[in-house]
Every structure is written in C-alpha cells, then in structure tokens.
Amino acid sequence: MTAIVDVPPPLLPDEAAAQAYRERSARLREAPPGAAADELAEISTAVRRDILTTIQAAGMGHVGGDLSVTDLLVTALWGTLRVHPADPGHPGRDRLVLSKGHCAAALYSALASCGFFPQARLREFMAPLSPLNGHPARLKVPGVETSTGPLGHGLPVAAGCALGARLRDEPWRTLVVLGDGEIQEGSNWEAAMTAAHHGLANLTAVVDRNRLQQGDRTEDTKSLEPLDAKWASFGWEVRVIDGHDHKAIKEAYGPSTTGRPVAVIANTVKGKGVSFMEDRVEWHHKVPTDEQVRRALEELSR
C-alpha cells in the first residue's frame, strides 16, 4: 500500500515580518558599522537559536558550519544588501549566494528572520517534499538566488551575476559566501581569474574561514595558506577580518576601493556560540541530542 504524503504549501512572505525587516534593515544599512553592531549581534543570536531547533526537529543538518557562517549571513541580509522579502524577485535586488549549500539551515533561518517566509515553516526543514531541502533550491525557497550543494559552483554563478549586472548597466551587487574547504575546488579559481579580468567591483566573495572541513582540518587536507596572498595574486582586493565581529564584517562588506572584486577572508569558529561544539570537527554533520540543544540554547540566552 502506497503511503500518501501531504505536500506542504509553497513558501510565501510573512508580511508583518517583511515590513518590520524593511524598516529595521534600512536603518541598519545606513548606520555606521559600530552603531549597527549590537543589533546585528542580537539578530545573529536569535538566528543561531533557530538553527539549533530547526536541526533538532529535522534530526539532520550541518550545525557546526551553520553556526560559523551565521554572522556573515545576518550582516549581509540585515546590514548590507538591499533585498525585498515581500517581493523576492525584485529586479533591482542585490544577490546573495550561499555556495556552501550544506549550511542551508543557517540560510533558511536568516531568510525567515527577514520575513521571506514564516519562521514557523523552519520546522519543515528536510521533511518529505518540503521546499526547505537540505540544500537550497532556487525554485522552491524565496531569497535563494541559485541552487547550491555541489561545492565550487557558487562563485562561478556569482561572477556571472555580477557580469550580468555590468552588461545591463544595473547598480545591484552580488555577495557570495564560500566554505574554506570548498575553495580547494579548482572551479573557484577559474571564476576568481575571470572576475578579476573583467574588473567586477560589484562582486564580493566571503570565505567562511573556520579551518575545518568534513573529517579534518583544512590545512591537513589540502593547505590553503597563504590564503590572502592567493586571492591578491588573482587580482582581488583582499580584506582579512574576524568573522564574528559585526562591525568588522559590515565594514568589509563595503564597496571596492580599487575597482577590483573584493575577497573577504572571515576568520570564524566552527560551532560558534556553543562551547562544546566550537572548533570540533565532529560537529560538521552531527545532530545534537535534546539535552545538548537545551544546553546550547541556554548558552545562547545569556
């Protein structure tokens, strides 16, 4: 006998949350980085709590990388980019690409915080036929610019977006977030070379430099250092920051000062915010128990 699974309804904007986002984000975008930092940190903490409960409900996820990338995504969506949760396809929107697509729970939680869809829908993460897949799907989730999962694809797509804006003489910009293990893929360096060749100053690549990948440390798998010199040698403007310092992140997301694409190397901690997860390789794809979630939420409420 065939089981019948209800298909969840499509994801639609949370109008009230989207309106609140529009007003608050406009203020945070215009505020000096230092003045916006505390509010961005507050939003990031709320998003981290949502990540934990989302993965707990699903029994699946990549919690360590989700927590390391949270501050980068929140600062992009709330403090930098011009996006429109109530009108996700707005032609003048800035583009955000999460190349490390396995950290979908972080992206979904951040998008829900903006009102792209109701926060309550996060509990459908990875459920049968849910639009909130384990990797982001452009045709299913508003706010997702390109489907990601196979590593090394996000930067090439983002370079194409930036080049498209250039050809159309459009002012919108593209920001792509990559995992550090992911940039061992050669396709990233082909895209980096192309972006520099075309002088895509409207493109920012952000490396979530938590120094861990699935199973081991990046430097023990395939050494990436000197990472800043590598990006510079490909013709990029390079900024090295603390990836959990919201003031530094917001400053680093500012426009290019050289007419070249910008590479932000954001030094982060895998599992950031939860003491027993921080800098531990086993939390790449480990699901916390209910007791561990309770402890983690307690730490994130202090």
PDB file of all heavy atoms in Angstrom, residues 137-162:
ATOM      1  N   ALA A 137      17.204  25.399  -2.812  1.00  0.00           N
ATOM      2  CA  ALA A 137      16.677  25.252  -4.168  1.00  0.00           C
ATOM      3  C   ALA A 137      16.048  26.573  -4.611  1.00  0.00           C
ATOM      4  O   ALA A 137      15.101  27.057  -3.983  1.00  0.00           O
ATOM      5  CB  ALA A 137      15.643  24.123  -4.216  1.00  0.00           C
ATOM      6  N   ARG A 138      16.546  27.118  -5.686  1.00  0.00           N
ATOM      7  CA  ARG A 138      16.115  28.443  -6.131  1.00  0.00           C
ATOM      8  C   ARG A 138      14.625  28.506  -6.446  1.00  0.00           C
ATOM      9  O   ARG A 138      13.964  29.510  -6.171  1.00  0.00           O
ATOM     10  CB  ARG A 138      16.914  28.857  -7.377  1.00  0.00           C
ATOM     11  CG  ARG A 138      16.603  30.272  -7.855  1.00  0.00           C
ATOM     12  CD  ARG A 138      17.399  30.636  -9.089  1.00  0.00           C
ATOM     13  NE  ARG A 138      16.933  29.919 -10.266  1.00  0.00           N
ATOM     14  CZ  ARG A 138      15.893  30.293 -11.016  1.00  0.00           C
ATOM     15  NH1 ARG A 138      15.193  31.371 -10.688  1.00  0.00           N
ATOM     16  NH2 ARG A 138      15.539  29.593 -12.079  1.00  0.00           N
ATOM     17  N   LEU A 139      14.065  27.435  -7.017  1.00  0.00           N
ATOM     18  CA  LEU A 139      12.668  27.474  -7.432  1.00  0.00           C
ATOM     19  C   LEU A 139      11.698  27.159  -6.295  1.00  0.00           C
ATOM     20  O   LEU A 139      10.482  27.199  -6.489  1.00  0.00           O
ATOM     21  CB  LEU A 139      12.438  26.496  -8.591  1.00  0.00           C
ATOM     22  CG  LEU A 139      13.215  26.812  -9.879  1.00  0.00           C
ATOM     23  CD1 LEU A 139      12.905  25.769 -10.947  1.00  0.00           C
ATOM     24  CD2 LEU A 139      12.892  28.214 -10.391  1.00  0.00           C
ATOM     25  N   LYS A 140      12.225  26.843  -5.123  1.00  0.00           N
ATOM     26  CA  LYS A 140      11.363  26.470  -4.008  1.00  0.00           C
ATOM     27  C   LYS A 140      11.404  27.443  -2.836  1.00  0.00           C
ATOM     28  O   LYS A 140      10.440  27.523  -2.069  1.00  0.00           O
ATOM     29  CB  LYS A 140      11.751  25.074  -3.498  1.00  0.00           C
ATOM     30  CG  LYS A 140      11.513  23.962  -4.504  1.00  0.00           C
ATOM     31  CD  LYS A 140      11.896  22.610  -3.926  1.00  0.00           C
ATOM     32  CE  LYS A 140      11.622  21.483  -4.920  1.00  0.00           C
ATOM     33  NZ  LYS A 140      11.993  20.158  -4.361  1.00  0.00           N
ATOM     34  N   VAL A 141      12.519  28.150  -2.665  1.00  0.00           N
ATOM     35  CA  VAL A 141      12.691  28.990  -1.473  1.00  0.00           C
ATOM     36  C   VAL A 141      12.925  30.440  -1.884  1.00  0.00           C
ATOM     37  O   VAL A 141      13.942  30.754  -2.513  1.00  0.00           O
ATOM     38  CB  VAL A 141      13.874  28.503  -0.616  1.00  0.00           C
ATOM     39  CG1 VAL A 141      13.973  29.331   0.670  1.00  0.00           C
ATOM     40  CG2 VAL A 141      13.732  27.018  -0.284  1.00  0.00           C
ATOM     41  N   PRO A 142      12.008  31.338  -1.552  1.00  0.00           N
ATOM     42  CA  PRO A 142      12.223  32.753  -1.880  1.00  0.00           C
ATOM     43  C   PRO A 142      13.454  33.287  -1.163  1.00  0.00           C
ATOM     44  O   PRO A 142      13.692  32.994   0.000  1.00  0.00           O
ATOM     45  CB  PRO A 142      10.941  33.431  -1.371  1.00  0.00           C
ATOM     46  CG  PRO A 142      10.341  32.473  -0.391  1.00  0.00           C
ATOM     47  CD  PRO A 142      10.732  31.111  -0.844  1.00  0.00           C
ATOM     48  N   GLY A 143      14.250  34.067  -1.881  1.00  0.00           N
ATOM     49  CA  GLY A 143      15.500  34.585  -1.337  1.00  0.00           C
ATOM     50  C   GLY A 143      16.713  33.773  -1.737  1.00  0.00           C
ATOM     51  O   GLY A 143      17.841  34.229  -1.569  1.00  0.00           O
ATOM     52  N   VAL A 144      16.500  32.570  -2.260  1.00  0.00           N
ATOM     53  CA  VAL A 144      17.603  31.735  -2.743  1.00  0.00           C
ATOM     54  C   VAL A 144      17.843  32.081  -4.216  1.00  0.00           C
ATOM     55  O   VAL A 144      16.959  31.913  -5.044  1.00  0.00           O
ATOM     56  CB  VAL A 144      17.301  30.234  -2.583  1.00  0.00           C
ATOM     57  CG1 VAL A 144      18.355  29.387  -3.279  1.00  0.00           C
ATOM     58  CG2 VAL A 144      17.223  29.882  -1.097  1.00  0.00           C
ATOM     59  N   GLU A 145      19.047  32.556  -4.525  1.00  0.00           N
ATOM     60  CA  GLU A 145      19.344  33.031  -5.867  1.00  0.00           C
ATOM     61  C   GLU A 145      19.785  31.919  -6.818  1.00  0.00           C
ATOM     62  O   GLU A 145      19.595  32.019  -8.021  1.00  0.00           O
ATOM     63  CB  GLU A 145      20.422  34.119  -5.825  1.00  0.00           C
ATOM     64  CG  GLU A 145      19.982  35.396  -5.138  1.00  0.00           C
ATOM     65  CD  GLU A 145      18.906  36.147  -5.912  1.00  0.00           C
ATOM     66  OE1 GLU A 145      18.682  35.840  -7.104  1.00  0.00           O
ATOM     67  OE2 GLU A 145      18.270  37.039  -5.314  1.00  0.00           O
ATOM     68  N   THR A 146      20.417  30.879  -6.285  1.00  0.00           N
ATOM     69  CA  THR A 146      20.830  29.760  -7.122  1.00  0.00           C
ATOM     70  C   THR A 146      20.886  28.505  -6.270  1.00  0.00           C
ATOM     71  O   THR A 146      21.219  28.566  -5.080  1.00  0.00           O
ATOM     72  CB  THR A 146      22.200  30.025  -7.789  1.00  0.00           C
ATOM     73  OG1 THR A 146      22.490  28.975  -8.711  1.00  0.00           O
ATOM     74  CG2 THR A 146      23.312  30.118  -6.767  1.00  0.00           C
ATOM     75  N   SER A 147      20.510  27.382  -6.840  1.00  0.00           N
ATOM     76  CA  SER A 147      20.550  26.116  -6.103  1.00  0.00           C
ATOM     77  C   SER A 147      22.015  25.726  -5.894  1.00  0.00           C
ATOM     78  O   SER A 147      22.807  25.717  -6.846  1.00  0.00           O
ATOM     79  CB  SER A 147      19.825  25.023  -6.890  1.00  0.00           C
ATOM     80  OG  SER A 147      18.479  25.387  -7.124  1.00  0.00           O
ATOM     81  N   THR A 148      22.362  25.424  -4.659  1.00  0.00           N
ATOM     82  CA  THR A 148      23.747  25.076  -4.346  1.00  0.00           C
ATOM     83  C   THR A 148      23.792  23.790  -3.546  1.00  0.00           C
ATOM     84  O   THR A 148      22.822  23.381  -2.934  1.00  0.00           O
ATOM     85  CB  THR A 148      24.447  26.200  -3.569  1.00  0.00           C
ATOM     86  OG1 THR A 148      23.678  26.549  -2.407  1.00  0.00           O
ATOM     87  CG2 THR A 148      24.645  27.438  -4.426  1.00  0.00           C
ATOM     88  N   GLY A 149      24.927  23.176  -3.542  1.00  0.00           N
ATOM     89  CA  GLY A 149      25.142  21.897  -2.895  1.00  0.00           C
ATOM     90  C   GLY A 149      26.451  21.326  -3.380  1.00  0.00           C
ATOM     91  O   GLY A 149      27.393  21.134  -2.615  1.00  0.00           O
ATOM     92  N   PRO A 150      26.587  21.068  -4.714  1.00  0.00           N
ATOM     93  CA  PRO A 150      27.881  20.681  -5.245  1.00  0.00           C
ATOM     94  C   PRO A 150      28.884  21.822  -5.010  1.00  0.00           C
ATOM     95  O   PRO A 150      28.679  22.943  -5.482  1.00  0.00           O
ATOM     96  CB  PRO A 150      27.609  20.482  -6.739  1.00  0.00           C
ATOM     97  CG  PRO A 150      26.143  20.234  -6.828  1.00  0.00           C
ATOM     98  CD  PRO A 150      25.534  21.064  -5.746  1.00  0.00           C
ATOM     99  N   LEU A 151      29.930  21.562  -4.275  1.00  0.00           N
ATOM    100  CA  LEU A 151      30.836  22.630  -3.872  1.00  0.00           C
ATOM    101  C   LEU A 151      31.653  23.140  -5.054  1.00  0.00           C
ATOM    102  O   LEU A 151      31.984  22.413  -5.981  1.00  0.00           O
ATOM    103  CB  LEU A 151      31.743  22.137  -2.755  1.00  0.00           C
ATOM    104  CG  LEU A 151      30.991  21.745  -1.473  1.00  0.00           C
ATOM    105  CD1 LEU A 151      31.945  21.199  -0.423  1.00  0.00           C
ATOM    106  CD2 LEU A 151      30.215  22.928  -0.904  1.00  0.00           C
ATOM    107  N   GLY A 152      31.961  24.425  -5.005  1.00  0.00           N
ATOM    108  CA  GLY A 152      32.736  25.056  -6.068  1.00  0.00           C
ATOM    109  C   GLY A 152      31.900  25.716  -7.140  1.00  0.00           C
ATOM    110  O   GLY A 152      32.448  26.293  -8.072  1.00  0.00           O
ATOM    111  N   HIS A 153      30.571  25.674  -6.991  1.00  0.00           N
ATOM    112  CA  HIS A 153      29.703  26.233  -8.027  1.00  0.00           C
ATOM    113  C   HIS A 153      29.250  27.661  -7.724  1.00  0.00           C
ATOM    114  O   HIS A 153      28.898  28.406  -8.636  1.00  0.00           O
ATOM    115  CB  HIS A 153      28.460  25.357  -8.212  1.00  0.00           C
ATOM    116  CG  HIS A 153      28.755  24.043  -8.859  1.00  0.00           C
ATOM    117  ND1 HIS A 153      27.756  23.242  -9.374  1.00  0.00           N
ATOM    118  CD2 HIS A 153      29.912  23.388  -9.084  1.00  0.00           C
ATOM    119  CE1 HIS A 153      28.302  22.138  -9.883  1.00  0.00           C
ATOM    120  NE2 HIS A 153      29.604  22.212  -9.716  1.00  0.00           N
ATOM    121  N   GLY A 154      29.213  28.038  -6.470  1.00  0.00           N
ATOM    122  CA  GLY A 154      28.626  29.332  -6.099  1.00  0.00           C
ATOM    123  C   GLY A 154      29.377  30.529  -6.635  1.00  0.00           C
ATOM    124  O   GLY A 154      28.770  31.493  -7.122  1.00  0.00           O
ATOM    125  N   LEU A 155      30.706  30.509  -6.546  1.00  0.00           N
ATOM    126  CA  LEU A 155      31.477  31.654  -7.034  1.00  0.00           C
ATOM    127  C   LEU A 155      31.349  31.819  -8.548  1.00  0.00           C
ATOM    128  O   LEU A 155      31.176  32.948  -9.027  1.00  0.00           O
ATOM    129  CB  LEU A 155      32.942  31.537  -6.608  1.00  0.00           C
ATOM    130  CG  LEU A 155      33.849  32.691  -7.043  1.00  0.00           C
ATOM    131  CD1 LEU A 155      33.345  34.027  -6.518  1.00  0.00           C
ATOM    132  CD2 LEU A 155      35.287  32.449  -6.569  1.00  0.00           C
ATOM    133  N   PRO A 156      31.435  30.757  -9.337  1.00  0.00           N
ATOM    134  CA  PRO A 156      31.199  30.938 -10.780  1.00  0.00           C
ATOM    135  C   PRO A 156      29.834  31.550 -11.094  1.00  0.00           C
ATOM    136  O   PRO A 156      29.730  32.423 -11.960  1.00  0.00           O
ATOM    137  CB  PRO A 156      31.321  29.511 -11.332  1.00  0.00           C
ATOM    138  CG  PRO A 156      32.238  28.817 -10.386  1.00  0.00           C
ATOM    139  CD  PRO A 156      31.896  29.378  -9.040  1.00  0.00           C
ATOM    140  N   VAL A 157      28.782  31.094 -10.403  1.00  0.00           N
ATOM    141  CA  VAL A 157      27.450  31.665 -10.633  1.00  0.00           C
ATOM    142  C   VAL A 157      27.424  33.133 -10.217  1.00  0.00           C
ATOM    143  O   VAL A 157      26.883  33.996 -10.925  1.00  0.00           O
ATOM    144  CB  VAL A 157      26.376  30.872  -9.876  1.00  0.00           C
ATOM    145  CG1 VAL A 157      25.032  31.597  -9.926  1.00  0.00           C
ATOM    146  CG2 VAL A 157      26.232  29.473 -10.465  1.00  0.00           C
ATOM    147  N   ALA A 158      28.025  33.433  -9.062  1.00  0.00           N
ATOM    148  CA  ALA A 158      28.037  34.813  -8.569  1.00  0.00           C
ATOM    149  C   ALA A 158      28.798  35.733  -9.521  1.00  0.00           C
ATOM    150  O   ALA A 158      28.387  36.877  -9.759  1.00  0.00           O
ATOM    151  CB  ALA A 158      28.659  34.861  -7.177  1.00  0.00           C
ATOM    152  N   ALA A 159      29.896  35.230 -10.093  1.00  0.00           N
ATOM    153  CA  ALA A 159      30.630  36.028 -11.073  1.00  0.00           C
ATOM    154  C   ALA A 159      29.758  36.301 -12.291  1.00  0.00           C
ATOM    155  O   ALA A 159      29.780  37.405 -12.853  1.00  0.00           O
ATOM    156  CB  ALA A 159      31.914  35.307 -11.471  1.00  0.00           C
ATOM    157  N   GLY A 160      28.961  35.303 -12.679  1.00  0.00           N
ATOM    158  CA  GLY A 160      28.031  35.509 -13.784  1.00  0.00           C
ATOM    159  C   GLY A 160      26.976  36.548 -13.460  1.00  0.00           C
ATOM    160  O   GLY A 160      26.618  37.374 -14.312  1.00  0.00           O
ATOM    161  N   CYS A 161      26.482  36.525 -12.227  1.00  0.00           N
ATOM    162  CA  CYS A 161      25.505  37.542 -11.795  1.00  0.00           C
ATOM    163  C   CYS A 161      26.118  38.936 -11.888  1.00  0.00           C
ATOM    164  O   CYS A 161      25.489  39.881 -12.406  1.00  0.00           O
ATOM    165  CB  CYS A 161      25.063  37.271 -10.364  1.00  0.00           C
ATOM    166  SG  CYS A 161      24.021  35.819 -10.121  1.00  0.00           S
ATOM    167  N   ALA A 162      27.336  39.072 -11.364  1.00  0.00           N
ATOM    168  CA  ALA A 162      27.993  40.380 -11.363  1.00  0.00           C
ATOM    169  C   ALA A 162      28.264  40.859 -12.786  1.00  0.00           C
ATOM    170  O   ALA A 162      28.103  42.045 -13.103  1.00  0.00           O
ATOM    171  CB  ALA A 162      29.291  40.298 -10.559  1.00  0.00           C
TER     172      ALA A 162
END
